[in-house]
Each structure stands twice: as structure tokens, then as C-alpha cells.
Amino acid sequence: MLPYTRAFLLLCCLTIAGCNAVSSFFQNSEIEQMQSQLDSMRKKLEIPIVEQTSGRIGYHSAYSNKSEKNQWLQLDLGQSVTPDSIILVPAFVNYGSDPQPGYGFPQRFRIEISDDPEFATSSIIADESQANYQLKHNPFYHASGKGHRGRYVRITASQLGVATTSPDAQRRYAFALGEVMILEGNLNRAITSRASASTNTNVPPAWHINNAIDGQTYLGLPQWKESSPQNGFHSHIFTDGPNQDEWVEVDLGSEMPLTEIRLIPARPVDYPESSGFGFPIDFKVQIGSDREFFKDVFSATNFPNPGAQVVTIPLPPGSRGRYIRAATSRLRERSGDYIFALAELQVFSEDVNIALGKTVTSSSMAEGATSWSREALVDGFSSRHQLLDWPQWIDTLLGIAELRDQMGQQQVGIEQLVKRRRKRTITTILFVMTVIIL
């Protein structure tokens, strides 16, 4: 090869190498910027969704050997409502090596609302029947109510979800949901509804048609970010057995119209992992206009540990009261002793929690407990974080799902930039080696 030809090729090589070096510099800068944005996104995901902590998973239809089969679940709300949104929470099944939400979630479905229980006429809230729907990063399916009104809500699955819990098992299909929420303001109207279905597989406590409207989901408590100053309320610690008459009471200040009561189980940060810590086994919830007379509005015996779940107690229409009391006669074991504990007691008048900051009294209080107090029962926090209203919580979780999608796209973008940089580097090295050999 002529000297000037070699010199010309060497000059071309150096030019390409220089261009690649400049390109790599800017790509490195872009990769660092994208990685910084990705790290910032991850920091926003401060509270992961918990897995199933309740033994009641949800609703389960009959099994089918093929996916193309219609199955439906219907809720009778008792009166016509105009829902702001309808939420379908997938069932979280702790079977197999990779437990995750989505077991039996329909691949194709529609949601309708009507005042006719036979749905001869209805309004379509959502229609996902034309293509297979995938949850992806979404913790649930969300549909706007679109101003439609009705007493009955029906979810019809036209293509069933996969209901196989092992890759080696024969594939089968079913329609399963962890929960249906019908939100109107800050109230979940599904809690007071009656459920029916085209087919049903009852295997309590895990699978039962009423589990679709019991408020128990893998999503846990409606909470976010801000840390709680205290764990909640904690009674005296008893060592002589669980059968103790204990109570805690909220004074609303005056008689108020009442819609529902929510009990938030404790999950203290300074105690070994124990969702449902101190939640009573046998208890009553009572309301009264004076402290001499209380009316039972809820009574439970052998109540299962609710885990990280809200226990919602709807009240009869026209309910009024000033004093709200949770009274227990059998306590839950802690570690060789027995206690009564709650993170929060919420009292709703329509969709407003009117218990916040009110006066709390109780039959006893844990001695010397700095992380527990009567006031913490009505401070707006769970044992871990700030409690949110249902709409705010739903918007937050939808925002997280969108953020996860953005993170996925960001990660793909970073990987593509890295591949292009490697390709340019390899090309430059090969070209330089060729020139040197020639």
C-alpha cells in the first residue's frame, strides 16, 4: 500500500475514532441523566403494596377447560347510586413459586350498570371485550363511572383468566376477583351490597362470593408516605388470660348523623412483624347519644385476624350518635400475654371522617408506652403512615402504575444507548486494527 494511502486511511480512522469518542461522551452523559431520573422514580415508590395478609382471597367462578366462556358477577347496591369509579382488584394467590396478583382475572370483560336486575337495559361503564386485557403494572382495573346511575352492577367475563397455579399442571380457566369496589365520594358502596353470580366455587375462607365485597384485598391499607408519629391505641397488658372486658371510646362532641365506622388494625414499627396486632377476637361496636345507653351496631365472635386490612362497619340508614365505642370481651395473644390494640378508629358522616382529633377515653392504657396513646387512635395515621381517603389512594396507586411504566421505558432507553455505544466502540477497534495490518 502506498504511503499516502496508508496516511489517508489512518487519518480517516482517527477521525472516526474521534467522532465515536465525542458521541460516547454525550451518550455517557445521556445515560447518566436517564439513570438519575430512574433512581429518582424508584425513590418515589416508598410504600410497596403488601401481599395477601387476609385468609379471604375473593370470588371464584366454576372452573372451565376453555377460556371462551361467559361468567358474571353481579352486585345489588340496594339503591340507585352514581359511582365515581369502579375498581376490580385481582385475586392474589400465594400458590406456586411466583405468587402474584392476577389469578383468574378475565382476559376480556365488560362492566354494566342498570336499575333492572335482569339487565334488559343497561349502561356500559367499561368494555374490554374486543381485545385481551393485561394488568401489567396496574394493581387493579379502574373505570370511571361516567355519570351513569343504577342499582345493579354486573361484571361479565367473556374470556376467562388463567386459573393454573403451577406450570406443570393442566391449564384451566376461571373468573376470579379479589374485590369489587364501587366508590361514590369517599364511600365504598359495594360493602353494603349483595352479590350473586352465574357460577360460584365456595371454598371458605379463601373463596366465597361475599369475599368480593368484604373490603379485604392484597392492596392493604389506604396509606402513603408520611410516617406515623405513634402506633395507635394499646390497652393494659394482661397475663391472666384473654377473657377481659376492655373498651375504647370516641366522643364526637355532639350527636351526629353516622354512615359507617372503620377500624384500622395496628402494625407497630417497634415490634416484630405482626399485622393485626392486638385486634380483638370477640368484640362489639356500639353507638350512643349519651354514655349511659349504647346500641350494638356490630358484633363478632372468633373474628379472624384482619391483617393489613380496613374493617368497615356500615351503619343502618338514619343512624345518629355522639359516642362510638369498641368493646372487647376476648383479646388477641401478643407473646404469652394479651392486649387490645387499634391503629385508628374512623367515624364517617356521609364521606367525611368526623372522628379526627376528637376526645378518646378507654378502660385502660398501656403503662409507660411512649409509642402508644389514646390520642393516636384519631390522629389520621395507621401505625406506619398517613391514612388516605379512598379516591386519593386510588389516584396514588394509579400514579405508581404509570410511574412503573415510565421506569420500564427508561430502562429500555438506557439499554439501547449502551448497546449503540458498544457497537460503535467495536467498529472503531476493528477499523483501527485493519489499518494497522495493512
Side-chain angles (χ1 to χ4, degrees):
M1 180 180 292
L2 296 175
Y4 62 83
T5 303
R6 182 188 292 270
F8 175 74
L9 289 174
L10 184 59
L11 178 62
C12 290
C13 178
L14 292 173
T15 301
I16 293 172
C19 289
N20 281 344
V22 171
S23 176
S24 294
F25 172 80
F26 285 110
Q27 281 189 1
N28 281 337
S29 177
E30 188 175 357
I31 289 172
E32 289 174 2
Q33 183 180 5
M34 293 176 73
Q35 189 65 52
S36 176
Q37 292 172 350
L38 187 60
D39 292 341
S40 177
M41 290 177 184
R42 288 197 180 103
K43 289 179 181 178
K44 293 180 181 179
L45 305 179
E46 295 183 11
I47 302 179
I49 292 173
V50 300
E51 60 183 38
Q52 189 78 27
T53 60
S54 169
R56 302 196 297 270
I57 297 176
Y59 159 75
H60 196 304
S61 75
Y63 286 107
S64 173
N65 292 325
K66 58 182 182 179
S67 63
E68 293 82 7
K69 186 173 183 179
N70 280 355
Q71 299 277 12
W72 54 261
L73 174 67
Q74 183 170 310
L75 305 186
D76 176 1
L77 304 176
Q79 61 181 345
S80 288
V81 303
T82 307
D84 298 313
S85 59
I86 296 177
I87 311 298
L88 306 184
V89 182
F92 190 111
V93 176
N94 284 305
Y95 306 149
S97 59
D98 184 27
Q100 57 185 323
Y103 172 94
F105 195 86
Q107 300 177 68
R108 299 191 182 194
F109 60 94
R110 68 182 182 274
I111 304 172
E112 301 168 271
I113 190 168
S114 177
D115 278 317
D116 175 12
E118 301 300 323
F119 280 76
T121 60
S122 64
S123 299
I124 295 178
I125 297 287
D127 189 350
E128 302 289 349
S129 62
Q130 302 305 309
N132 286 7
Y133 176 80
Q134 293 183 332
L135 283 165
K136 295 182 180 178
H137 296 302
N138 296 317
F140 49 74
Y141 180 83
H142 172 270
S144 170
K146 301 177 182 177
H148 295 305
R149 185 173 180 82
R151 171 174 170 171
Y152 304 93
V153 173
R154 178 181 287 186
I155 304 105
T156 302
S158 54
Q159 187 162 335
L160 308 180
V162 176
T164 305
T165 56
S166 169
D168 300 326
Q170 180 180 356
R171 176 157 288 205
R172 55 184 180 176
Y173 303 89
F175 173 26
L177 290 174
E179 188 78 7
V180 180
M181 301 178 70
I182 301 176
L183 299 183
E184 187 176 36
N186 193 26
L187 298 177
N188 177 15
R189 298 297 187 184
I191 288 288
T192 57
S193 68
R194 294 192 303 273
S196 57
S198 53
T199 65
N200 191 19
T201 297
N202 282 335
V203 187
W207 301 109
H208 192 281
I209 190 168
N210 291 333
N211 289 357
I213 51 174
D214 64 354
Q216 310 287 292
T217 79
Y218 83 97
L219 299 174
L221 298 176
Q223 59 184 2
W224 188 246
K225 287 194 174 181
E226 187 176 347
S227 296
S228 176
Q230 290 187 301
N231 290 321
F233 161 78
H234 189 310
S235 74
H236 172 75
I237 300 171
F238 295 90
T239 59
D240 56 344
N243 298 321
Q244 308 288 341
D245 292 325
E246 286 291 299
W247 56 265
V248 64
E249 178 183 294
V250 177
D251 180 358
L252 301 176
S254 61
E255 186 179 82
M256 301 286 290
L258 307 176
T259 307
E260 73 180 31
I261 297 168
R262 299 178 193 171
L263 304 179
I264 310 299
R267 187 186 171 204
V269 297
D270 53 355
Y271 200 81
E273 176 58 37
S274 51
S275 297
F277 178 88
F279 199 90
I281 297 175
D282 296 350
F283 69 100
K284 297 178 180 179
V285 176
Q286 304 168 311
I287 62 175
S289 295
D290 60 64
R291 300 192 69 186
E292 300 302 319
F293 176 76
F294 282 92
K295 175 185 177 181
D296 294 348
V297 293
F298 180 82
S299 179
T301 303
N302 294 320
F303 195 85
N305 189 328
Q309 309 286 343
V310 180
V311 177
T312 303
I313 301 168
L315 301 178
S319 294
R320 297 181 64 86
R322 171 175 174 173
Y323 300 96
I324 312 299
R325 176 178 285 194
T328 177
S329 56
R330 185 153 65 109
L331 308 183
R332 197 169 297 276
E333 184 176 2
R334 188 181 65 156
S335 51
D337 48 33
Y338 303 88
I339 61 162
F340 172 29
L342 290 173
E344 189 82 358
L345 192 155
Q346 299 178 320
V347 182
F348 284 84
S349 181
E350 291 301 325
D351 60 355
V352 177
N353 178 17
I354 57 176
L356 278 173
K358 300 301 183 182
T359 301
V360 177
T361 56
S362 63
S363 53
S364 71
M365 184 68 205
E367 296 82 0
T370 57
S371 57
W372 302 86
S373 71
R374 293 182 176 92
E375 293 75 19
L377 186 68
V378 290
D379 64 355
F381 288 83
S382 72
S383 295
R384 303 291 178 102
H385 298 281
Q386 180 185 15
L387 291 166
L388 302 181
D389 291 338
W390 287 126
Q392 186 181 9
W393 183 62
I394 293 298
D395 289 344
T396 298
L397 293 185
L398 288 174
I400 291 175
E402 183 178 351
L403 193 60
R404 290 190 187 279
D405 283 337
Q406 293 174 6
M407 287 172 62
Q409 295 170 11
Q410 193 86 336
Q411 188 65 52
V412 169
I414 290 173
E415 291 172 359
Q416 289 176 344
L417 278 175
V418 170
K419 286 180 181 179
R420 286 203 295 269
R421 187 180 66 182
R422 287 175 179 169
K423 186 176 181 180
R424 284 197 178 102
T425 301
I426 293 171
T427 302
T428 301
I429 291 172
L430 291 174
F431 191 47
V432 170
M433 291 177 64
T434 301
V435 170
I436 291 174
I437 292 171
L438 292 175

